[in-house]
Amino acid sequence: IRYLMAHHARVILCSHLGRPKGKVDPQYSLAPVAARLSELLGVEVKMAKDVVGESAQSLAAGLRDGEVMLLENVRFHKEETDNDPAFAKELASLAEIYVNDAFGTAHRAHASTAGVAAYLPAVCGYLIEKEIRFMGGALENPKRPFVAILGGAKVSDKIGVIRNLISKVDTLLIGGGMSYPIKKAYGKEVGHSMIEGDETVPMAAEIIKEAEEKGVRLVIPIDQRVCKEVSKEAEAIVVDEIPADMTSMDIGPKTEALFAEIIKDAATIIWNGPVGAFEFPQFSHGTFAVAKAVAASDAVSIIGGGDSISAVTQSGVADKITHISTGGGATLEFLEGIELPGIAALNDK
C-alpha cells in the first residue's frame, strides 16, 4: 500500500471479514479496519458504505493521487463467493490495475480473487511473491537435506501434502495426531490416542510403503508424554510405548533429541502442524523443542498453518524463521501441489 501511495496511485482496497453469508451484517463491517489502517499509514483511509454501489463509485471517482479508500466487506454480497462474473466486472470497473496480495484466500475462486482478474491487468503483491518464492523454491529446487515436519490432529487434511512431499523430501518427521495411524499401521499400541476415522490406518500403511519405495526416511516418535485422562491438570508421564489405557499428548524427550539432530543437519525445512497438544503447558515441550531446533538451524525454514505459527511465536523464535506463511488452507493446497485459482488468474509478471 505504501509503495502504491509513494508512486501516486489512487488505491482502492478490497477485503473480507468473517463469514456474513452474503448479507450485510454490521458486526463484520470493515470500518474498524479503515480506522486502524489510517493510524498505521498516517493518512485518512476513506471508507465506502458499500462494495460496488453509489458510495464506492463516488469515492473512487473522487480519489486523488496517493489517496487510499477501503470498500465495505465484499462478502456482504453472495456474488463474491459465487464468483459471479457480473459482480466481478462491477468491482473491476472501479480500477485500472488489480493487485492480489491475499495469499490466505488464493485457494478460493471468488469474485475479488479470481473473478476481477478476467477484466483487468492482474499482478501479485509483495507478500504473494514472497510466498511463491520461498514455498515454490523449496518444493521445486530445495537445498538438501530437505526435511518436512508434519503434525496436527487432522490426518485427512494432510494426506495429499504427505503424498506430494514424499516425492521431494529426504526425511519426513511426523508427530502429533498424524503419528498414531502410522504407529498403528506398524502394529504398535496407541491406547486412547486420537485416530481420525478407520480409513486413516490403511492410508498410513500406504504412506509407509511409498516412503520405503522412494528411499525417504520416515521418522515417528520413539517416546511420548501420555496421560490417564485428558484435562488441564493431567500429569504428563513419559513412556517409550503408549499403554493401552492412556492417551498420548506430546512427543517425549528422546524424540525431541532425535528430531533436533535431524533438523540440525537440514538445509531446507518445511513445518506444518504442532507435534503435541501444546495448548496444555505440560504437553507443550515437544512442539517448543521443535520450534527452537528449527530456529537454531542454518536451514531455509518455512512454517505454515496457524498452530505452528502460534508455537514459534509463543516460544519466542519467530524472528529466526526464514518464512512464516500467511495461508491456512492456501498453504496446505500449495504444499499439496494444487493450483491456486487466485494465483493462476494473475498475469505472469
Side-chain angles (χ1 to χ4, degrees):
I1 296 168
R2 287 196 179 103
Y3 176 89
L4 290 169
M5 287 165 67
H7 287 75
H8 315 296
R10 301 169 185 191
V11 186
I12 301 165
L13 300 171
C14 164
S15 191
H16 78 264
L17 179 67
R19 294 198 168 115
K21 300 189 174 152
K23 293 187 184 72
V24 175
D25 183 339
Q27 68 168 327
Y28 292 118
S29 170
L30 288 179
V33 176
R36 178 69 181 126
L37 188 58
S38 300
E39 290 170 13
L40 291 168
L41 294 174
V43 298
E44 186 205 351
V45 173
K46 300 170 195 295
M47 178 74 203
K49 292 186 176 69
D50 50 31
V51 180
V52 290
E54 204 178 310
S55 171
Q57 286 174 16
S58 65
L59 270 183
L63 270 189
R64 294 197 180 132
D65 294 1
E67 288 188 334
V68 185
M69 67 173 279
L70 175 64
L71 301 176
E72 189 46 284
N73 190 342
V74 280
R75 285 196 184 167
F76 283 176
H77 291 258
K78 75 181 256 316
E79 295 88 342
E80 158 68 359
T81 49
D82 292 348
N83 193 11
D84 180 280
F87 179 69
K89 195 173 184 178
E90 273 190 278
L91 261 180
S93 72
L94 297 170
E96 293 166 311
I97 294 172
Y98 170 65
V99 183
N100 186 351
D101 212 19
F103 181 75
T105 57
H107 60 312
R108 303 189 191 283
H110 287 174
S112 67
T113 57
V116 283
Y119 303 101
L120 289 173
V123 294
C124 74
Y126 295 135
L127 176 73
I128 283 189
E129 183 191 21
K130 188 175 178 228
E131 295 274 9
I132 295 169
R133 193 169 75 238
F134 279 106
M135 289 203 293
L139 294 174
E140 280 157 38
N141 191 18
K143 289 182 178 159
R144 298 192 176 274
F146 180 11
V147 175
I149 309 158
L150 291 175
K154 282 199 160 177
V155 184
S156 54
D157 284 358
K158 310 253 172 98
I159 289 292
V161 176
I162 295 176
R163 289 254 157 84
N164 193 35
L165 288 177
I166 275 182
S167 57
K168 301 176 190 304
V169 300
D170 301 298
T171 305
L172 200 48
L173 307 181
I174 296 189
M178 306 277 296
S179 64
Y180 310 130
I182 294 176
K183 271 188 180 289
K184 206 158 184 183
Y186 276 125
K188 291 185 181 290
E189 176 64 64
V190 297
H192 298 309
S193 310
M194 197 183 92
I195 287 192
E196 175 207 14
D198 298 334
E199 72 288 353
T200 52
V201 178
M203 280 177 185
E206 282 173 39
I207 286 163
I208 293 167
K209 186 165 164 256
E210 236 170 286
E212 277 169 8
E213 284 167 2
K214 297 204 161 117
V216 171
R217 185 179 174 198
L218 180 65
V219 185
I220 57 171
I222 50 173
D223 66 339
Q224 23 257 315
R225 291 178 174 91
V226 301
C227 63
K228 287 196 168 128
E229 54 186 68
V230 180
S231 74
K232 282 183 180 161
E233 294 74 43
E235 185 199 350
I237 305 160
V238 176
V239 293
D240 285 351
E241 299 297 335
I242 304 168
D245 62 342
M246 292 203 185
T247 304
S248 176
M249 298 288 282
D250 192 14
I251 61 172
K254 289 181 196 168
T255 307
E256 287 171 19
L258 173 64
F259 280 16
E261 196 59 36
I262 294 164
I263 288 165
K264 186 171 71 127
D265 296 331
T268 304
I269 298 166
I270 284 180
W271 178 21
N272 183 285
V275 294
F278 78 105
E279 58 275 21
F280 297 98
Q282 69 274 43
F283 301 116
S284 64
H285 299 281
T287 299
F288 290 161
V290 168
K292 284 171 184 156
V294 172
S297 76
D298 295 326
V300 170
S301 51
I302 298 159
I303 291 185
D307 287 338
S308 323
I309 296 167
S310 297
V312 293
T313 308
Q314 284 176 37
S315 52
V317 296
D319 59 335
K320 296 186 175 70
I321 304 298
T322 314
H323 177 64
I324 294 178
S325 180
T326 55
T331 301
L332 281 178
E333 289 191 20
F334 195 92
L335 294 177
E336 203 173 319
I338 296 172
E339 184 177 74
L340 305 184
I343 291 174
L346 303 176
N347 301 113
D348 195 10
K349 288 182 178 173

